[in-house]
């Protein structure tokens, strides 16, 4: 993640904790730092492993509560992919387009300014949009090739 993203995340968390009079616990900041150290998607288990390697023990309940809070604050995005839940740190980059393979789960990001422009120009009724995420589901080249090879072996 970019340095500006983690700084923005700290500012948002600090503002929330101060405004709602919550404690600034070391666990919250350690989890936030672990989240923003991951490049791409992560699971609760991934966070647990990262914190264990740093010798910072956090209960599963704390991990889930932190991720839930960070999701509420827009710092974490929850994805339902191939029957499992993964998370991703939110970035300053506006608009997010992902291709997701239904077979292997590989996720790649697309840069498509035309789609971003179109969505930016949208004016939904009775709704103030601030960001978006678009998912394209399909089958990646590697899985297509693998499937074609298996099909050829069966027909021979």
């Amino acid at each position: 993640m970019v340095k500006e993203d983690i700084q923005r995340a700290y500012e948002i968390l600090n503002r929330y904790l101060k405004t709602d009079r919550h404690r600034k616990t070391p666990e919250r900041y350690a989890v936030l730092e672990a989240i923003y150290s991951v490049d791409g998607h992560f699971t609760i288990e991934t966070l647990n492993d990262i914190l264990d390697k740093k010798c910072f023990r956090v209960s599963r309940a704390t991990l889930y509560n932190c991720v839930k809070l960070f999701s509420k604050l827009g710092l974490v995005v929850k994805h339902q992919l191939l029957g499992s839940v993964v998370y991703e740190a939110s970035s300053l980059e506006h608009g997010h387009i992902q291709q997701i393979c239904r077979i292997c789960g590989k996720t790649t990001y697309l840069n498509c300014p035309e789609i971003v422009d179109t969505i930016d120009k949208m004016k939904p009724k009775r709704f103030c949009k601030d960001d978006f995420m678009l998912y394209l589901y399909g089958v990646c080249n590697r899985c297509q090739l693998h499937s074609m090879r298996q099909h050829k072996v069966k027909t021979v």
Side-chain angles (χ1 to χ4, degrees), residues 52-98:
D52 278 350
K53 286 178 186 172
K54 293 182 177 184
C55 296
F56 197 99
R57 303 258 180 226
V58 177
S59 72
R60 278 216 181 286
T62 299
L63 286 175
Y64 278 104
N65 288 334
C66 285
V67 169
K68 184 177 178 181
L69 170 63
F70 300 156
S71 182
K72 174 184 167 185
L73 297 175
L75 303 175
V76 170
V77 179
K78 181 179 177 180
H79 303 286
Q80 189 80 32
L81 303 176
L82 299 171
S84 65
V85 174
V86 294
Y87 303 91
E88 181 178 25
S90 181
S91 72
L92 290 173
E93 186 179 308
H94 175 67
H96 214 83
I97 305 169
Q98 296 183 9

Side-chain angles (χ1 to χ4, degrees), residues 124-135:
K125 291 183 181 180
R126 304 174 85 184
F127 185 79
C128 181
K129 66 179 174 14
D130 55 17
D131 203 3
F132 74 91
M133 188 165 297
L134 176 64
Y135 300 106

Side-chain angles (χ1 to χ4, degrees), residues 3-146:
K3 187 177 179 180
E4 292 85 23
D5 290 336
I6 187 72
Q7 288 175 337
R8 179 186 61 94
Y10 278 121
E11 289 169 10
I12 291 169
L13 179 59
N14 287 332
R15 191 175 331 120
Y16 169 79
L17 295 175
K18 184 178 181 180
T19 304
D20 285 21
R21 295 189 174 143
H22 292 286
R23 292 180 306 138
K24 293 182 176 182
T25 64
E27 290 82 5
R28 286 184 177 133
Y29 291 99
V31 173
L32 187 64
E33 189 174 306
I35 287 170
Y36 276 84
S37 74
V38 176
D39 186 30
H41 296 143
F42 63 87
T43 62
I44 296 296
E45 291 76 27
T46 308
L47 288 180
N48 196 33
D49 292 345
I50 292 169
L51 292 167
D52 278 350
K53 286 178 186 172
K54 293 182 177 184
C55 296
F56 197 99
R57 303 258 180 226
V58 177
S59 72
R60 278 216 181 286
T62 299
L63 286 175
Y64 278 104
N65 288 334
C66 285
V67 169
K68 184 177 178 181
L69 170 63
F70 300 156
S71 182
K72 174 184 167 185
L73 297 175
L75 303 175
V76 170
V77 179
K78 181 179 177 180
H79 303 286
Q80 189 80 32
L81 303 176
L82 299 171
S84 65
V85 174
V86 294
Y87 303 91
E88 181 178 25
S90 181
S91 72
L92 290 173
E93 186 179 308
H94 175 67
H96 214 83
I97 305 169
Q98 296 183 9
Q99 296 179 132
I100 302 165
C101 178
R102 289 192 183 274
I103 296 173
C104 71
K106 179 181 176 186
T107 302
T108 54
Y109 296 92
L110 290 177
N111 181 16
C112 190
E114 299 87 6
I115 292 175
V116 173
D117 289 343
T118 300
I119 293 175
D120 282 343
K121 290 175 186 172
M122 287 175 49
K123 297 190 189 299
K125 291 183 181 180
R126 304 174 85 184
F127 185 79
C128 181
K129 66 179 174 14
D130 55 17
D131 203 3
F132 74 91
M133 188 165 297
L134 176 64
Y135 300 106
L136 301 173
Y137 294 96
V139 180
C140 70
N141 284 343
R142 197 174 112 236
C143 290
Q144 288 176 35
L145 289 171
H146 182 71

